[in-house]
Amino acid sequence: MTAPAVLVTRPEPGAAETAAAVAALGWRPLLAPALVLAPLPPPADLTAPAQALLLPSRAAARALPGVRRDLPVLAVGPGTAEEARAAGFTCVSAASGDAVSLTAEAARSLDPRAGPLLLAVGRGYSDALAASLRGHGFAVRRRVVYAARPADSLSAEAAEALRAGEVRAALFFSPRSASVTMALLRRAGLAETVGSVAALALSARIATALAGLSWQTIRATPTPEPMALMALLGPAHHPAVRPDREGQEKNV
């Protein structure tokens, strides 16, 4: 018997890791990345002196040629910290998984008088994070090192499973991925299929972005950690969508 399916909208890096975690819970993961990430030519001053490198995403950790590997790194969360270590950085610490905690950890552990921060980001991302850090007195060099473009379409496997009613949940890791996925569903004529799909989001902000379609339910993790999303999904023999005390699904 085929296991019920879960859409993984996360792009690489990270999609394969999430798919493995989904499979370990007994579900059938279907890769349906909403975004395609690619490194950009490095900015001319990427290797200029800085007191620390801040990484708000795993993709940024892979797009830093020439940056000293002994430069202190502050990553947004454990997954990004792991990616930084895999890229060769040797002095890595992590915040709790979102921009707010990254700013708070920078304010706690770094000194605005010790030099500028290098903030490596994707195109169109982390303007608010840079502003928040500057509000704490830091000089911030926000440098765009990768681009994230919307996927052209849903994967054929994901579309087929949706049409067949085999998908029970979809996992979302960013507001943009949520918006792009909904656009791809509409374009493919599959928007109505999500009535039996639980939309599980890594934060309340992402959950809000999912309100444009009639999902069976929309639920958000209490903390912005991938393992919290796995806990929300739960094992395949315990449905990700659970009725409330009156037998109705709750949207978050």
Side-chain angles (χ1 to χ4, degrees):
M1 181 177 178
T2 303
V6 173
L7 296 186
V8 178
T9 67
R10 188 182 196 180
E12 295 292 1
E17 177 184 304
T18 297
V22 168
L25 290 170
W27 302 91
R28 174 165 54 105
L30 298 177
L31 294 181
L35 302 172
V36 179
L37 309 185
L40 295 172
D45 65 346
L46 186 64
T47 60
Q51 69 159 306
L53 167 65
L54 269 62
L55 297 176
S57 71
R58 295 179 64 151
R62 292 187 172 190
L64 296 165
V67 175
R68 289 173 28 223
R69 267 30 191 181
D70 62 348
L71 182 66
V73 173
L74 179 53
V76 68
T80 300
E82 181 180 345
E83 197 72 41
R85 295 186 187 99
F89 290 96
T90 57
C91 182
V92 181
S93 58
S96 300
D98 59 12
V100 172
S101 68
L102 183 57
T103 299
E105 184 60 23
R108 186 195 69 80
S109 63
L110 301 174
D111 184 351
R113 298 167 296 182
L117 305 178
L118 172 59
L119 177 62
V121 305
R123 182 181 290 154
Y125 291 99
S126 298
D127 284 321
L129 172 58
S132 180
L133 290 164
R134 291 181 181 120
H136 281 80
F138 290 101
V140 179
R141 291 205 315 270
R142 177 186 171 276
R143 295 297 179 262
V144 177
V145 297
Y146 73 94
R149 67 167 179 82
D152 296 325
S153 63
L154 290 170
S155 66
E157 186 181 19
E160 182 180 349
L162 284 162
R163 290 191 185 96
E166 298 170 353
V167 178
R168 294 291 172 267
L171 308 182
F172 296 95
F173 291 78
S174 73
R176 189 179 179 203
S177 289
S179 298
V180 170
T181 298
M182 292 192 296
L184 294 176
L185 287 164
R186 294 187 184 102
R187 188 183 307 165
L190 294 169
E192 298 304 318
T193 66
V194 304
S196 59
V197 178
L200 306 181
L202 195 61
S203 72
R205 181 169 169 240
I206 300 168
T208 299
L210 288 162
L213 288 183
S214 298
W215 305 92
Q216 184 182 57
T217 190
I218 301 172
R219 303 179 68 200
T221 58
T223 58
E225 286 294 329
M227 291 314 297
L229 198 58
M230 293 303 103
L232 198 62
L233 176 65
H237 59 277
H238 294 300
V241 183
R242 298 180 179 86
D244 66 15
R245 293 178 181 176
E246 297 178 356
Q248 300 297 318
E249 299 301 338
K250 285 185 175 179
N251 288 342
V252 178

